[in-house]
Structure formats: C-alpha cells, structure tokens
C-alpha cells in the first residue's frame, strides 16, 4: 500500500475557527482527512504502547500559527511519518494504527455506524448480500460472506475481497485488495459509482492449494466459477481442442475435472492488468502485464508494431518499489497540484537479473502499479512458506482455533514463515521475512528462462541469499 499526503485543506471547525486538514491518500485515492492533533494523538499512543525507540520521528508542535511554507514542511514530514509507520512490520500491522485509519475513514466520509446490506460479487456474476455494520472491517465482511455461503472457517483465509471496476465492455480492472485498515462499505460507498464492486476471489497463487479448496463443496463451486470466468474473459488461453474438452466437462457437471484441465492451461490463476506503458525493451512500449506462477508476464508491443512476450520471475528480482507523482491534467502548469487539476501517476520499478552479471531496472507505468506490487509480495510470501516447510492450511487452522488474535491474523497471513518454520531455521527465516517486509528480495538462482524477454539466457551457478527457483 502506498501512503501519501499530497495536499492540505483549510477547513472550518465546529466553533467556526479554521484548521489545516491533511488528506491521507492510499494508492492515490483519498482515504481520510485528519488534523495534526489527531496524528499527534496516534503518535503518543504508539509511543506509549511500543516505546520511544520504535516510533519514527514526528514533526514538533508549534506555538504560533504556521506560515504556508511551514504547513508544506509539516505536510512532507507527516507523509514520511505515515509511510514509516506503515512500512514497519510491527507498527504497520498493529490494531492501534489500523483502527485509527478505519475511524478516520468513517469520519471523513461522514457515514454513521448502522446496519446495512452490502453486495459482494462472485466470479460468475452472482451477488451475495450480507448484513453488516458500516463500521465492519475487511475481515468482518469476509467472515460474513463465508457464513452466508457456508464456507468453512479453515478455508476463509484462502479467499480475499478485491475492489474492482467493471467497464462498459465487461472488462474487469483490479483496483486493490481490501486491507485491514479500511471499512469495505465506506470504501465502496465513497466512490459513488456503480462501476465499482467488491469481488470475492481466491487469494493464493500456488495451484497445489486448489486441492484444499476443492475438498469442500462451496470451495469447489467458488474455484470453478473463477476458472470459468477467467477463461471467458480470455485471461486463460484455450485452443479449440481444449475448449471442446472443457465444454464436455461442463455439460457433465464435472467441476473438479474442469479445474484440473484448467490447471494445465496457459495463464491459469493469473491476474491480468489493463494495458499500460513500460520502458522495456525500450521506452514507451505498450504492454499488457499479467501476474501469476511467481512471475510478471509481459505482452509487449514494440514501436515497429512487433509483439513480443516474456516473463520476469519474482525469484530473480533483487528488489522493487512503487513511486507516485502528481501530473497536471492541462496546460502543463508547474504550479502545485490540487485534487481537481492533477492526476496521480504510479510506477512499479524492479531490479532484475537479466544475465549472470547484469542487473537492470524495468519500469511499468500503470494505475495498477500498487496492485502489481501486492501480487509480487504475496508470491514471495508463499515461496517463503514453502521454503520454511510451513503450511498455509496449518497456519489458517491455528488462526481459527483462536491462537492468533483477530486483529493480528491478516499480518500473520502476510508473513507466514514466522509461524510454521522448523525451529532450527527460525532465526534465518525471521531475517528473510524482515527483508521481505521492506519489499526487498535478494537472490540469484541457477535456472534458465525460456521466455526471457530480453533474449539473453539466465545462467550461472551462484551462491544466493533468499529464494532461488532451484530451491523450491
């Protein structure tokens, strides 16, 4: 998640006095509007709970009214503070921080706490209506959906809620995975557009976990509906013979066999993103990016209209980052942006091992850059589970047996190596997990890639720190 405070507003308080409000954006979209005093209160609570040596620096109080220059300086300092707290694996996952953001989101949108009906879409277009409170967080809503569908507790963690936008042509854009710091009802309502929906979809990448899901009738139906939908959207590639086999299995009602055949098809389980721009293999290339199978797949259109396909394995990414900038919509003005005059430009950049001794940065300019980053991180998390000898199923069983506090469960799902790793390797896994939490994966693997988009083979036998393809 990318936190920013790109702008401030002067607003009127209840007593008629004015104050400066700081607009906190998540992924380039307004999440909440807070005062300096509110953030100071959060800071004091965090300091009391976790100690002064843990919390990042906070901009000091001022006795006199701030000048415009001082307001801008404070805005920058508060932005760095929010980013530092969110990126800290302890503070960013704390209920203290997340509950502050949920409360601020609800207050900003001025939505009172009350019972409401919320529609959750399934992959086959059906909707499940759940009765919730407007103040229910993401996990509460997910549990309500599972209860309505009769999905067992030990399978709930295999699924997540995603905010998606449906185009007039039926195309589906994944905006983000709903997080623990937001209220799904408030998030969807604040968008004020019928294009946006909340979608239930599996949240893992390794198809071996499909077996766990398919053992249950409801899980099987959800996975089957998603597979059918991905094929119909063209996300999974199917030739004529395969299409005939799939249709035959559908007619027989052989859902498991349908999924098993789907698992053999190209791009099974991938998420496809909207067309965007990349600087690889040269600047300004149009590209369609898909995420799945521990890689980002590129379909690139070169300036000479030639199409080229290739994949970037997550195990060969040294690190990646997401950056945002405000771009004026019109007249090229260089004056500071306001929300009505500027767009937020997002970029995902990763450093990739192109050959045994050559690292290169690859950049993708896309409004879905953060979603791509979340996909990469979740792939790394799953790889860490396998490397540590852990099990997602064991971890989820622990969660639903109550050994993990509700507010901590999602963070524990994010960093599973800390749970089920063998004791002799625990210290090593913790170190790796710390690196991964800072969105950095250093490693060199010895495997080759047949689909290397640059045309250079990956080769060499190197000692590595982290995860390699040959390590799994």
């Amino acid at each position: 998640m990318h936190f920013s405070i790109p702008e401030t507003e002067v607003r009127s308080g209840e007593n008629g006095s004015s104050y400066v409000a700081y607009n906190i954006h998540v992924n380039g979209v307004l999440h909440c509007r807070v005062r300096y005093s509110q953030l100071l209160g959060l800071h004091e609570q965090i300091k009391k709970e976790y100690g002064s040596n843990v919390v990042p620096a906070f901009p000091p109080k001022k006795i006199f009214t701030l000048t415009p220059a001082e307001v801008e300086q404070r805005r920058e300092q508060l932005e760095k503070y929010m980013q530092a707290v969110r990126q800290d694996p302890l503070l960013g996952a704390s209920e203290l921080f997340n509950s502050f953001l949920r409360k601020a989101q609800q207050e900003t949108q001025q939505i009172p706490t009350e019972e409401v009906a919320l529609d959750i879409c399934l992959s086959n277009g059906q909707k499940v209506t759940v009765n919730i409170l407007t103040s229910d967080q993401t996990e509460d809503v997910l549990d309500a959906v599972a209860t309505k569908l009769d999905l067992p507790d030990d399978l709930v963690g295999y699924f997540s809620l995603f905010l998606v936008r449906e185009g007039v042509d039926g195309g589906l854009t994944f905006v983000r995975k709903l997080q623990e710091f937001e209220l799904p009802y408030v998030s969807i309502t604040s968008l004020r557009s019928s294009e946006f929906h909340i979608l239930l979809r599996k949240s893992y990448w390794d198809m071996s976990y499909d077996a766990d899901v398919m053992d249950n009738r409801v899980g099987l139906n959800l996975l089957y509906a998603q597979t059918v939908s991905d094929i119909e959207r063209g996300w999974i590639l199917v030739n004529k013979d395969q299409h005939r086999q799939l249709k035959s299995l559908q007619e027989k009602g052989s859902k498991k066999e349908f999924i098993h055949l789907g698992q053999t098809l190209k791009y099974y389980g991938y998420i496809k993103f909207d067309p965007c721009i990349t600087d690889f293999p040269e600047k300004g290339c149009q590209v369609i990016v898909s995420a799945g199978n521990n890689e980002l797949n590129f379909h690139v259109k070169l300036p000479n209209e030639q199409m080229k396909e290739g994949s970037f394995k997550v195990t060969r990414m040294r690190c990646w980052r997401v950056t945002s900038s405000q771009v004026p919509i019109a007249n090229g003005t260089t004056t500071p942006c306001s929300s009505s005059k500027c767009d937020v430009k997002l970029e995902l950049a990763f450093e990739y091992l192109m050959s045994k001794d050559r690292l290169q940065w690859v950049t993708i300019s896309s409004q879905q850059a953060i979603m791509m980053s979340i996909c990469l991180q979740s792939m790394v998390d799953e790889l860490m589970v396998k490397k540590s000898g852990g099990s997602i199923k064991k971890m989820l069983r622990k969660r639903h047996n109550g050994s993990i506090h509700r507010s901590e469960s999602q963070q524990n799902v994010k960093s599973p190596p800390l749970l089920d790793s063998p004791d002799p390797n625990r210290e090593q896994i913790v170190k790796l997990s710390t690196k991964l939490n800072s969105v950095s994966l250093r490693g060199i693997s010895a495997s080759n890639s047949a689909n290397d988009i640059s045309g250079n083979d990956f080769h060499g036998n190197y000692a590595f720190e982290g995860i390699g393809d040959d390590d799994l």
Side-chain angles (χ1 to χ4, degrees), residues 180-212:
E180 68 274 20
F181 57 75
E182 64 182 312
L183 310 176
Y185 179 84
V186 177
S187 293
I188 195 74
T189 303
S190 64
L191 292 169
R192 297 177 177 84
S193 172
S194 59
E195 293 180 348
F196 293 92
H197 309 288
I198 297 177
L199 175 71
L200 180 71
R201 185 180 172 91
K202 74 175 187 180
S203 59
Y204 58 89
W205 302 98
D206 190 334
M207 70 174 68
S208 65
Y209 297 127
D210 285 349
D212 297 339

Short mmCIF file of all heavy atoms in Angstrom, two decimals, residues 180-212:
data_model
loop_
_atom_site.label_atom_id
_atom_site.label_comp_id
_atom_site.label_asym_id
_atom_site.label_seq_id
_atom_site.Cartn_x
_atom_site.Cartn_y
_atom_site.Cartn_z
N GLU A 180 -6.78 -4.36 5.92
CA GLU A 180 -7.27 -4.40 7.29
C GLU A 180 -7.55 -3.01 7.87
O GLU A 180 -8.24 -2.89 8.88
CB GLU A 180 -6.27 -5.15 8.19
CG GLU A 180 -4.94 -4.43 8.40
CD GLU A 180 -3.91 -4.70 7.32
OE1 GLU A 180 -4.29 -5.12 6.21
OE2 GLU A 180 -2.72 -4.48 7.59
N PHE A 181 -7.02 -1.98 7.24
CA PHE A 181 -7.21 -0.63 7.78
C PHE A 181 -8.41 0.09 7.15
O PHE A 181 -8.57 1.30 7.37
CB PHE A 181 -5.94 0.21 7.58
CG PHE A 181 -5.50 0.33 6.15
CD1 PHE A 181 -6.16 1.15 5.25
CD2 PHE A 181 -4.41 -0.39 5.70
CE1 PHE A 181 -5.75 1.24 3.92
CE2 PHE A 181 -4.00 -0.31 4.38
CZ PHE A 181 -4.67 0.51 3.50
N GLU A 182 -9.22 -0.60 6.37
CA GLU A 182 -10.35 0.09 5.75
C GLU A 182 -11.67 -0.63 6.02
O GLU A 182 -11.72 -1.80 6.39
CB GLU A 182 -10.13 0.25 4.26
CG GLU A 182 -10.05 -1.03 3.45
CD GLU A 182 -9.78 -0.77 1.97
OE1 GLU A 182 -10.46 0.09 1.39
OE2 GLU A 182 -8.88 -1.43 1.41
N LEU A 183 -12.75 0.12 5.83
CA LEU A 183 -14.10 -0.38 6.00
C LEU A 183 -14.70 -0.57 4.62
O LEU A 183 -14.94 0.40 3.91
CB LEU A 183 -14.93 0.62 6.81
CG LEU A 183 -14.30 1.13 8.11
CD1 LEU A 183 -15.19 2.18 8.76
CD2 LEU A 183 -14.04 -0.02 9.07
N PRO A 184 -14.93 -1.81 4.20
CA PRO A 184 -15.39 -2.07 2.83
C PRO A 184 -16.63 -1.27 2.43
O PRO A 184 -16.70 -0.76 1.31
CB PRO A 184 -15.66 -3.57 2.84
CG PRO A 184 -14.68 -4.11 3.82
CD PRO A 184 -14.63 -3.07 4.91
N TYR A 185 -17.61 -1.17 3.32
CA TYR A 185 -18.83 -0.43 2.97
C TYR A 185 -18.51 1.04 2.70
O TYR A 185 -18.99 1.63 1.73
CB TYR A 185 -19.88 -0.55 4.06
CG TYR A 185 -21.14 0.23 3.75
CD1 TYR A 185 -22.14 -0.31 2.95
CD2 TYR A 185 -21.32 1.55 4.21
CE1 TYR A 185 -23.28 0.41 2.63
CE2 TYR A 185 -22.45 2.28 3.89
CZ TYR A 185 -23.43 1.70 3.10
OH TYR A 185 -24.55 2.43 2.78
N VAL A 186 -17.69 1.61 3.56
CA VAL A 186 -17.31 3.02 3.40
C VAL A 186 -16.49 3.20 2.13
O VAL A 186 -16.68 4.16 1.37
CB VAL A 186 -16.53 3.53 4.63
CG1 VAL A 186 -16.08 4.98 4.43
CG2 VAL A 186 -17.39 3.42 5.89
N SER A 187 -15.58 2.27 1.87
CA SER A 187 -14.72 2.36 0.68
C SER A 187 -15.53 2.35 -0.60
O SER A 187 -15.31 3.16 -1.50
CB SER A 187 -13.71 1.20 0.66
OG SER A 187 -12.79 1.31 1.71
N ILE A 188 -16.48 1.42 -0.71
CA ILE A 188 -17.27 1.31 -1.94
C ILE A 188 -18.27 2.45 -2.06
O ILE A 188 -18.51 2.97 -3.16
CB ILE A 188 -17.97 -0.07 -2.01
CG1 ILE A 188 -18.47 -0.35 -3.43
CG2 ILE A 188 -19.08 -0.19 -0.99
CD1 ILE A 188 -17.42 -0.69 -4.41
N THR A 189 -18.84 2.88 -0.94
CA THR A 189 -19.83 3.96 -0.97
C THR A 189 -19.19 5.29 -1.34
O THR A 189 -19.77 6.09 -2.08
CB THR A 189 -20.53 4.08 0.40
OG1 THR A 189 -21.13 2.82 0.73
CG2 THR A 189 -21.62 5.14 0.36
N SER A 190 -17.99 5.54 -0.85
CA SER A 190 -17.33 6.82 -1.08
C SER A 190 -16.96 7.02 -2.55
O SER A 190 -16.75 8.15 -2.99
CB SER A 190 -16.08 6.94 -0.21
OG SER A 190 -15.12 5.95 -0.57
N LEU A 191 -16.89 5.93 -3.32
CA LEU A 191 -16.55 6.05 -4.75
C LEU A 191 -17.71 6.59 -5.57
O LEU A 191 -17.52 7.13 -6.66
CB LEU A 191 -16.12 4.69 -5.29
CG LEU A 191 -14.78 4.17 -4.74
CD1 LEU A 191 -14.57 2.72 -5.11
CD2 LEU A 191 -13.62 5.02 -5.25
N ARG A 192 -18.92 6.41 -5.06
CA ARG A 192 -20.13 6.98 -5.70
C ARG A 192 -20.21 6.64 -7.19
O ARG A 192 -20.46 7.50 -8.03
CB ARG A 192 -20.18 8.50 -5.49
CG ARG A 192 -20.30 8.91 -4.04
CD ARG A 192 -20.27 10.42 -3.86
NE ARG A 192 -20.47 10.77 -2.47
CZ ARG A 192 -19.49 10.82 -1.55
NH1 ARG A 192 -18.25 10.51 -1.91
NH2 ARG A 192 -19.76 11.16 -0.31
N SER A 193 -19.97 5.39 -7.52
CA SER A 193 -20.05 4.95 -8.91
C SER A 193 -20.48 3.50 -8.96
O SER A 193 -19.95 2.66 -8.21
CB SER A 193 -18.69 5.11 -9.60
OG SER A 193 -18.72 4.53 -10.90
N SER A 194 -21.41 3.19 -9.84
CA SER A 194 -21.90 1.82 -9.99
C SER A 194 -20.89 0.93 -10.71
O SER A 194 -21.09 -0.28 -10.80
CB SER A 194 -23.23 1.82 -10.75
OG SER A 194 -23.06 2.40 -12.05
N GLU A 195 -19.80 1.54 -11.24
CA GLU A 195 -18.79 0.74 -11.93
C GLU A 195 -17.99 -0.12 -10.96
O GLU A 195 -17.42 -1.15 -11.34
CB GLU A 195 -17.80 1.65 -12.68
CG GLU A 195 -18.40 2.42 -13.84
CD GLU A 195 -17.36 3.28 -14.52
OE1 GLU A 195 -16.25 3.45 -13.95
OE2 GLU A 195 -17.63 3.80 -15.61
N PHE A 196 -17.92 0.30 -9.71
CA PHE A 196 -17.08 -0.37 -8.73
C PHE A 196 -17.86 -1.43 -7.96
O PHE A 196 -19.02 -1.23 -7.58
CB PHE A 196 -16.47 0.64 -7.74
CG PHE A 196 -15.48 1.57 -8.37
CD1 PHE A 196 -15.88 2.80 -8.89
CD2 PHE A 196 -14.15 1.22 -8.47
CE1 PHE A 196 -14.97 3.66 -9.48
CE2 PHE A 196 -13.22 2.07 -9.06
CZ PHE A 196 -13.64 3.29 -9.56
N HIS A 197 -17.20 -2.57 -7.73
CA HIS A 197 -17.80 -3.67 -6.98
C HIS A 197 -16.75 -4.27 -6.04
O HIS A 197 -15.55 -4.06 -6.21
CB HIS A 197 -18.30 -4.76 -7.92
CG HIS A 197 -19.17 -4.28 -9.03
ND1 HIS A 197 -20.47 -3.85 -8.84
CD2 HIS A 197 -18.93 -4.15 -10.36
CE1 HIS A 197 -20.99 -3.48 -10.00
NE2 HIS A 197 -20.08 -3.65 -10.94
N ILE A 198 -17.24 -5.02 -5.08
CA ILE A 198 -16.35 -5.83 -4.24
C ILE A 198 -16.48 -7.27 -4.70
O ILE A 198 -17.59 -7.81 -4.77
CB ILE A 198 -16.70 -5.68 -2.75
CG1 ILE A 198 -16.50 -4.23 -2.30
CG2 ILE A 198 -15.81 -6.61 -1.91
CD1 ILE A 198 -16.90 -3.98 -0.85
N LEU A 199 -15.36 -7.88 -5.04
CA LEU A 199 -15.33 -9.22 -5.62
C LEU A 199 -14.64 -10.19 -4.68
O LEU A 199 -13.58 -9.89 -4.12
CB LEU A 199 -14.59 -9.18 -6.96
CG LEU A 199 -14.36 -10.52 -7.67
CD1 LEU A 199 -15.67 -11.06 -8.24
CD2 LEU A 199 -13.33 -10.36 -8.80
N LEU A 200 -15.24 -11.37 -4.51
CA LEU A 200 -14.61 -12.45 -3.75
C LEU A 200 -13.81 -13.31 -4.73
O LEU A 200 -14.34 -13.79 -5.73
CB LEU A 200 -15.67 -13.30 -3.05
CG LEU A 200 -15.15 -14.48 -2.22
CD1 LEU A 200 -14.46 -13.98 -0.96
CD2 LEU A 200 -16.29 -15.44 -1.86
N ARG A 201 -12.53 -13.51 -4.42
CA ARG A 201 -11.66 -14.28 -5.32
C ARG A 201 -10.58 -14.96 -4.48
O ARG A 201 -10.22 -14.48 -3.40
CB ARG A 201 -11.00 -13.34 -6.35
CG ARG A 201 -10.15 -14.05 -7.41
CD ARG A 201 -9.56 -13.04 -8.37
NE ARG A 201 -8.58 -13.65 -9.28
CZ ARG A 201 -8.86 -14.16 -10.47
NH1 ARG A 201 -10.10 -14.10 -10.92
NH2 ARG A 201 -7.92 -14.69 -11.22
N LYS A 202 -10.06 -16.08 -4.98
CA LYS A 202 -9.00 -16.76 -4.23
C LYS A 202 -7.80 -15.84 -4.11
O LYS A 202 -7.52 -15.03 -5.01
CB LYS A 202 -8.63 -18.09 -4.88
CG LYS A 202 -7.80 -18.00 -6.15
CD LYS A 202 -7.39 -19.40 -6.62
CE LYS A 202 -6.43 -19.34 -7.80
NZ LYS A 202 -6.02 -20.68 -8.29
N SER A 203 -7.09 -15.94 -3.00
CA SER A 203 -6.00 -15.01 -2.73
C SER A 203 -4.63 -15.68 -2.71
O SER A 203 -3.68 -15.11 -2.21
CB SER A 203 -6.24 -14.31 -1.39
OG SER A 203 -6.34 -15.26 -0.34
N TYR A 204 -4.53 -16.88 -3.22
CA TYR A 204 -3.24 -17.58 -3.27
C TYR A 204 -2.85 -17.80 -4.73
O TYR A 204 -3.67 -17.66 -5.65
CB TYR A 204 -3.32 -18.92 -2.53
CG TYR A 204 -4.38 -19.85 -3.07
CD1 TYR A 204 -4.10 -20.76 -4.09
CD2 TYR A 204 -5.68 -19.83 -2.56
CE1 TYR A 204 -5.07 -21.61 -4.59
CE2 TYR A 204 -6.65 -20.68 -3.05
CZ TYR A 204 -6.35 -21.56 -4.06
OH TYR A 204 -7.32 -22.39 -4.57
N TRP A 205 -1.57 -18.16 -4.95
CA TRP A 205 -1.05 -18.33 -6.30
C TRP A 205 -0.71 -19.78 -6.63
O TRP A 205 -0.84 -20.21 -7.76
CB TRP A 205 0.21 -17.47 -6.49
CG TRP A 205 -0.04 -16.03 -6.25
CD1 TRP A 205 0.21 -15.33 -5.10
CD2 TRP A 205 -0.62 -15.09 -7.16
NE1 TRP A 205 -0.17 -14.03 -5.25
CE2 TRP A 205 -0.68 -13.85 -6.50
CE3 TRP A 205 -1.08 -15.17 -8.47
CZ2 TRP A 205 -1.18 -12.71 -7.11
CZ3 TRP A 205 -1.58 -14.03 -9.07
CH2 TRP A 205 -1.63 -12.81 -8.40
N ASP A 206 -0.25 -20.52 -5.63
CA ASP A 206 0.21 -21.89 -5.84
C ASP A 206 -1.00 -22.79 -6.06
O ASP A 206 -1.83 -22.99 -5.16
CB ASP A 206 1.00 -22.35 -4.61
CG ASP A 206 1.72 -23.67 -4.84
OD1 ASP A 206 1.25 -24.47 -5.68
OD2 ASP A 206 2.73 -23.92 -4.16
N MET A 207 -1.12 -23.37 -7.26
CA MET A 207 -2.30 -24.18 -7.57
C MET A 207 -2.38 -25.45 -6.74
O MET A 207 -3.44 -26.11 -6.71
CB MET A 207 -2.33 -24.51 -9.06
CG MET A 207 -1.29 -25.49 -9.53
SD MET A 207 -1.50 -25.95 -11.28
CE MET A 207 -1.13 -24.42 -12.12
N SER A 208 -1.32 -25.82 -6.03
CA SER A 208 -1.39 -27.01 -5.18
C SER A 208 -2.40 -26.81 -4.05
O SER A 208 -2.95 -27.77 -3.52
CB SER A 208 -0.01 -27.36 -4.61
OG SER A 208 0.44 -26.34 -3.72
N TYR A 209 -2.65 -25.53 -3.69
CA TYR A 209 -3.64 -25.25 -2.65
C TYR A 209 -5.07 -25.43 -3.16
O TYR A 209 -6.01 -25.44 -2.36
CB TYR A 209 -3.45 -23.84 -2.10
CG TYR A 209 -2.11 -23.63 -1.42
CD1 TYR A 209 -1.28 -22.57 -1.80
CD2 TYR A 209 -1.67 -24.48 -0.42
CE1 TYR A 209 -0.05 -22.37 -1.19
CE2 TYR A 209 -0.44 -24.30 0.20
CZ TYR A 209 0.36 -23.24 -0.19
OH TYR A 209 1.58 -23.06 0.41
N ASP A 210 -5.24 -25.55 -4.48
CA ASP A 210 -6.58 -25.79 -5.02
C ASP A 210 -7.18 -27.06 -4.43
O ASP A 210 -8.39 -27.16 -4.25
CB ASP A 210 -6.51 -25.94 -6.55
CG ASP A 210 -6.31 -24.62 -7.26
OD1 ASP A 210 -6.43 -23.57 -6.61
OD2 ASP A 210 -6.05 -24.64 -8.48
N ALA A 211 -6.32 -28.05 -4.15
CA ALA A 211 -6.81 -29.33 -3.63
C ALA A 211 -7.52 -29.14 -2.30
O ALA A 211 -8.55 -29.77 -2.03
CB ALA A 211 -5.65 -30.31 -3.48
N ASP A 212 -6.97 -28.27 -1.44
CA ASP A 212 -7.63 -27.99 -0.16
C ASP A 212 -9.01 -27.41 -0.38
O ASP A 212 -9.99 -27.79 0.27
CB ASP A 212 -6.79 -27.00 0.66
CG ASP A 212 -5.42 -27.56 1.03
OD1 ASP A 212 -5.27 -28.79 1.02
OD2 ASP A 212 -4.54 -26.75 1.35
#
